[in-house]
Amino acid sequence: MPSIVSKSSFKTLQRFSPDYAPCTITKYESKRTGMSVVVVDQEGPKVNGFFTLATEIHDDSGAPHTLEHLCFMGSKSYRYKGVLDKLATRAYSTTNAWTATDHTAYTLETAGWEGFAQILPIYLEHVIVPTLTDAGCYTEVHHVDGEGHDAGVVYSEMQGVQNTQGELMDLRAKRLLYPENVGFRYETGGMMEQLRVLTADRIRKFHRDMYQPKNLCLVIVGQVDHSDLLHILEQFEDGILNDIPPPDSTFKRPWVDSDPAPLLLRSVVETVDFPEEDESSGEIAVTFFGPSCNDLLGASALSILLVYLAGSSASILENTLVEKEQVASAVYYSTEIRPRILIQFSLSSVATDRLEEVEKRFFELLKATAVNPLDMTYLKDCITRERRMIKNSIETSSTPFSESIIYDFLFAERDGSRLKADLSNMKEFEVLASWPEAKWQSLINSWMADANHVTILGKPSAILSKKLKSEEKARVEEQKKKLGPKGLEELEKRLADAKAENDREIPKGLLEHFPVPSTKSIHFIETTTARSGAAKQLGRLDNNIQRLVDSDNTKLPLFIHFEHVQSNFAHVSLIISTESVPIPLRPLLIIYLENMFTTPIERNGQKIEFEQVIKELEKDTVDYGISLGGGIGNPEVLVMRLSVEVEKYASAIQWFKELIWNGIFDVERISSTTVRLLADIPEAKRSGSSMLNSVEEMIHSAPASIVRARSTLVQALYLKGVRHRLKNDPDAIINQLTDIRHKLFQFSNFRVAVVANIEKVAEPVSSWESFTAGLDTSKPLHPLEKRLLRISEAARNPGKLAYIVPMPTIDSSFALSVAKGPSSLKDPRIPALMVALSYLDAVEGPMWVAVRGTGLAYGTSFTRHTDSGQISYNVYRSPNAFKAFQTGRAVVEGFLNGQTKFDALALEGAISSIVLSIANSEATIGAAAQMSFIRQVIRELPEDWNERMLEKVRAVEMDEIRTVMKDIVLPVLTAATANLVVTCAPVMEEELLAGFRDMGFTPEVRSLASFQDDYGMGVPEGAENEDEDDEMEDGDEDEGDVDEGGDDEGDGGEMTTSCT
């Protein structure tokens, strides 16, 4: 750890090193202002900051949320909108923020300490001494535009979520859990009706009350120069003392000095309607009060109990309600850290007419669990696994302990004593392991089974959907009528004036004063590669790890790629080619993968039930799963993974063998999975963003694509056909699954990736001999699938399709256009395109200012998909996606026709952002190892590709940027060369149709159902709407892409089964 100054206005409150993590935690406090600083020293290329304020409000005005946006609009010394982000971009940094019910956090992510140190004081001034102008509040929070429509960045954000199922249920639960004098009752994001009347003065008052240094904690994680940090903070305090309330003035600490939430006097069950035309299934949310958040032992016990109750398909609630009785598609649990921890269970996709019945069944199970004998062996395994998972999470996180530090600041003693006591060791698990069964049963009773609670039954309502649509349309029409032409004209002028004030040009001298920092303080994590078997065809390596691997004397031809890192765990992945799976069977892969870890297996002639399989698997692992390969840059392959303690490396290989070849295709299990997946379809169809991507997958992916085959719009029909066949001809489905296994799991389809401390791995190669025994190892390795070969004709020749898909479940609009782009990272245009997109998409860059800054959308982004040879433009959550799209095109045209000049300083920032993207992709030891594998195996690039690409990026000329904007970027915004998909609220349909027609598109209005495809499964007439209970009545009750050096690639979707 760097040296720490002794003479400072900051005093050291705590310094300790957890005995289970390679880091040191230090807490400081300012003697002058009371500001808290907690540093977690950890090796890696990134420094992360969380600048956290405890925020409490007793209304739904949204003032906390609006400040999260407005603080970025300028500060006392930097009175220009966007100056913070423009400077951050140049310093390998990015900023963001979030608003929770109990705090607001401003984040700073930087590659290296030098850039972080440069931005830190500027950022803190924006937080503590922001400008908060009337003009900024008008554009950023809420305004009515010249056409009478409500807009504003915050307003648009809340418009997109206020009437969703989750938000409506959550808000009603808050109202029932907390009285009016408790801040946890309120929607801190803001309700639309209150945002429309929120004033700048109200926001300023909230800032004055809450945004004081004594209420601020800086949480910083990374390789930090403590002396430099404290010096910077002292100078910062010197500059703000005259702008803040006197540090010794009385201050009511949020939450801690507020009225505590009273205990519930009785249980409440209420029904909440949410807008949805498909009324077949709803949701159940059950909330309890748990132990104090400052009770480490109680909180740890709660975590164990929740895993025991609902952590996997073997747990009581999940096993009974989902797998056996099939009354819900999943049972989720979550906790919210409050003075008294909130415990919530969510039951998803419950038949609407059975909501009340299932809620009662849920409590029957809880009560029975509390009085019947517990499986103490499994419970103790849960304790052991939780310890392992904590250690693993520290290795795999670039921001370990940050959440714990934030909540310690909010609710515990400010001297850090609780922080040290809680994080120094994990002795609490030793205590928990000694507890008798009766102790655990009593906790289930007191916290859940016998506890007062709030239950919300979320019920879909087509009537409410129509009502909200008509009411909003009527409200806007009345607003227009009331304003009249003159009023609308005045509002248009007011908006223009506000924009002009906000968008004052930042003096170049101000930006130039802050040079681009050196990259010397960016410490990338180094890994060492070794190869075995067919992997050696990529080239022979000469290093100590390679020699160690070679010393494991074997001629096994299996392709194994090793990445040596300092880790306590072995992360083993099996990458599987899918080319040999027949196209008509590819949609069935979703069932195959879902059942991979939840099916019985045969062992020594005995059938091991799936519950026992799961318990044994969890005992041996910290993580397991199988998914499409989006995470490794190729979504057309499958990745099966197991993470174990390094000494259990051989056990992981044995699990691969058992799960792949010894799994039993059990009709009961397959039926359960099918029913559960079908139950999730209506919920999946409620998301405007998700359905936008699903429609795009259907039109741009060929039937051979695994991405398309697993799409919701395929599964919606295909699974109904599977369900019908399981009832009438189950052997047909079993035979198809057997065929998939034979086709998929062939030696020639396998590649293995191992990330571990190879020096601690016994027999890294020969351990695989048992796995390959009996396989035909003579056939050559199949090449990995190319996504480019699995795109549709419409994707190869875009410019002919445009669809508008109305969705009653959303209140805003989303758009996605797709055109041709480079299909190889070796394309000579890639460096210029990287710079061009980084420049356009920069925070406070051209697109941000033109679209988000004017309230036209919550955000836009360009994405390169070199694996499929495409480029896309996405408009996210907009009050009018056409206007956002049109504005985006105008921005690009401005650069091409010379009306808008390129900013040399911003171009430097674009290059710095690419450096940050590399650091992001390699922020932890696991991520660094994975990126090495992706470069060498998936993308067939040299190990030093990042360095080579950065050299090319820095050498890009202005003319090259214009060329790629003209040839690649503009086409994705042009009707003749791009395909377009829009999802929107039905009330927006006509306006969007007219707008996109004027741009040259020929949009067609279509329903989601019109894009569905059953892949020839054939759903018999009447079977599509069969009642699921009838279908299963005969004994069937049981149940994306990575960022590679700025290569901002979409993953093409993901299908994942995992347990972490």
Side-chain angles (χ1 to χ4, degrees), residues 69-353:
H69 290 252
L70 292 170
C71 282
F72 292 94
M73 301 288 283
S75 70
K76 179 182 73 169
S77 304
Y78 306 91
R79 306 185 69 84
Y80 299 93
K81 175 190 172 187
V83 67
L84 172 62
D85 285 303
K86 286 182 181 293
L87 290 172
T89 300
R90 288 169 57 77
Y92 317 120
S93 302
T94 185
T95 67
N96 209 331
W98 74 73
T99 303
T101 303
D102 47 28
H103 70 276
T104 305
Y106 295 85
T107 65
L108 177 61
E109 295 182 52
T110 307
W113 169 251
E114 190 174 333
F116 190 95
Q118 182 170 292
I119 297 303
L120 177 61
I122 305 168
Y123 200 162
L124 293 180
E125 187 182 278
H126 277 72
V127 172
I128 299 299
V129 200
T131 53
L132 300 183
T133 65
D134 289 344
C137 293
Y138 191 67
T139 60
E140 195 75 5
V141 179
H142 172 265
H143 58 267
V144 177
D145 63 22
E147 296 180 1
H149 295 288
D150 297 271
V153 176
V154 175
Y155 187 84
S156 297
E157 181 181 349
M158 299 313 297
Q159 182 183 48
V161 299
Q162 181 166 312
N163 289 315
T164 61
Q165 164 207 308
E167 184 70 14
L168 290 169
M169 292 176 66
D170 183 61
L171 183 64
R172 187 56 192 153
K174 288 178 182 177
R175 302 295 203 235
L176 294 171
L177 286 163
Y178 298 105
E180 292 184 0
N181 65 329
V182 176
F184 293 114
R185 174 185 176 89
Y186 299 97
E187 173 51 74
T188 52
M191 303 293 286
M192 284 190 288
E193 52 271 23
Q194 295 210 30
L195 287 169
R196 290 196 287 264
V197 297
L198 179 62
T199 65
D201 284 340
R202 175 69 182 94
I203 297 169
R204 293 184 190 112
K205 182 181 184 305
F206 184 79
H207 183 273
R208 247 187 340 265
D209 293 343
M210 294 289 162
Y211 279 52
Q212 300 184 33
K214 67 180 71 174
N215 193 36
L216 171 66
C217 180
L218 312 183
V219 183
I220 304 174
V221 185
Q223 291 185 248
V224 176
D225 184 327
H226 287 241
S227 298
D228 193 21
L229 170 64
L230 298 182
H231 176 67
I232 290 168
L233 294 179
E234 285 186 333
Q235 289 187 320
F236 166 70
E237 287 189 333
D238 290 341
I240 64 164
L241 286 174
N242 293 330
D243 300 297
I244 61 174
D248 58 355
S249 61
T250 302
F251 179 73
K252 181 182 177 183
R253 185 178 169 189
W255 311 114
V256 174
D257 295 336
S258 301
D259 293 336
L263 295 176
L264 290 170
L265 298 178
R266 62 186 180 89
S267 294
V268 180
V269 180
E270 279 201 10
T271 298
V272 170
D273 289 347
F274 61 88
E276 169 62 275
E277 290 189 350
D278 183 343
E279 297 184 329
S280 62
S281 66
E283 309 290 316
I284 300 174
V286 185
T287 308
F288 310 89
F289 284 116
S292 164
C293 68
N294 291 320
D295 174 8
L296 175 63
L297 196 60
S300 299
L302 175 61
S303 295
I304 301 301
L305 277 179
L306 293 175
V307 171
Y308 178 85
L309 291 170
S312 71
S313 295
S315 59
I316 294 165
L317 296 175
E318 182 87 5
N319 185 257
T320 304
L321 298 174
V322 178
E323 303 294 347
K324 292 180 179 176
E325 298 177 3
Q326 299 176 22
V327 294
S329 67
V331 178
Y332 302 106
Y333 67 83
S334 63
T335 58
E336 289 191 45
I337 306 301
R338 304 277 169 82
R340 284 180 64 88
I341 297 173
L342 275 191
I343 307 165
Q344 186 171 84
F345 289 94
S346 299
L347 284 68
S348 62
S349 303
V350 177
T352 304
D353 58 0

Side-chain angles (χ1 to χ4, degrees), residues 27-46:
K27 178 162 188 174
Y28 302 104
E29 184 178 76
S30 171
K31 301 172 188 175
R32 291 193 290 178
T33 68
M35 179 167 60
S36 298
V37 184
V38 182
V39 179
V40 181
D41 286 291
Q42 173 178 279
E43 293 185 358
K46 291 184 64 181

Side-chain angles (χ1 to χ4, degrees), residues 752-777:
V752 174
V754 178
V755 177
N757 184 335
I758 306 302
E759 295 173 338
K760 294 183 179 180
V761 176
E763 301 179 329
V765 179
S766 58
S767 294
W768 288 91
E769 289 177 343
S770 63
F771 177 81
T772 60
L775 297 180
D776 182 357
T777 61

Side-chain angles (χ1 to χ4, degrees), residues 703-719:
S705 171
I706 303 297
V707 172
R708 186 182 192 274
R710 78 15 137 197
S711 168
T712 299
L713 296 175
V714 168
Q715 298 300 323
L717 281 183
Y718 190 89
L719 291 173

